[in-house]
Amino acid sequence: MKTYRAERDIAAHPEAIAAIILNISELAEWNPALTATGTGDTVARVDHPYAVTLRAPGRARLTYVQSSTARIVWRVDVGGSVETGEWDLLPRGPVTRVTHTMSHTGALLAILGGGMTSVPTWRLDRLQARAEATDHERRRG
């Protein structure tokens, strides 16, 4: 198993960040590993497999296995390999400390391993931009 991790303070409430991560219909807009989700669900259903299109070859299925404003966990099955993505959201005054950990098992993801090192950081970059823009608009609202 190969594990990659990144963390960052994001100027938004955990609820706002969790809502972005759980919005399966817009996940491909900020997650660099995805190109499409093919669903209209705006809130992911736990234990419901979603067909997704990845940048990696093969058919993929993404399933949220845990969902709260403190922790979100998903599982992506692709070509006999599995990515487990974990999002821990810890409020720290005006910011939320977001830790994203992803673990890979299986041959396909092992082959892509070197290219995956920066994915947690890229995801956090895009999540931060989206969350802080959303929070800014909410405050101006």
Side-chain angles (χ1 to χ4, degrees):
M1 178 185 309
K2 191 74 172 169
T3 300
Y4 309 93
R5 182 175 178 269
E7 67 181 21
R8 132 135 30 120
D9 289 337
I10 297 178
H13 293 284
E15 295 82 7
I17 296 168
I20 293 168
I21 298 168
L22 291 169
N23 186 337
I24 183 72
S25 68
E26 296 181 0
L27 191 61
E29 293 177 15
W30 62 269
N31 184 335
L34 299 175
T35 58
T37 59
T39 181
D41 286 0
T42 56
V43 178
R45 293 176 275 158
V46 172
D47 295 326
H48 176 79
Y50 291 94
V52 295
T53 306
L54 304 175
R55 296 196 192 285
R59 294 175 179 238
R61 187 176 63 249
L62 186 148
T63 307
Y64 285 80
V65 294
Q66 185 176 349
S67 168
S68 74
T69 57
R71 182 168 171 78
I72 298 165
V73 179
W74 69 41
R75 174 187 167 108
V76 179
D77 294 275
V78 58
S81 293
V82 174
E83 173 188 302
T84 301
E86 302 173 25
W87 301 86
D88 292 300
L89 312 174
L90 177 64
R92 300 177 69 157
V95 301
T96 300
R97 169 64 51 96
V98 180
T99 303
H100 177 39
T101 306
M102 52 185 240
S103 302
H104 289 164
T105 59
L108 176 62
L109 293 175
I111 292 168
L112 300 173
M116 302 302 274
T117 304
S118 299
V119 172
T121 300
W122 293 340
R123 287 177 179 164
L124 285 176
D125 289 345
R126 293 174 179 193
L127 176 63
Q128 180 175 17
R130 194 172 190 95
E132 290 179 355
T134 301
D135 191 65
H136 179 72
E137 287 300 315
R138 183 188 59 81
R139 290 175 198 235
R140 284 181 51 196

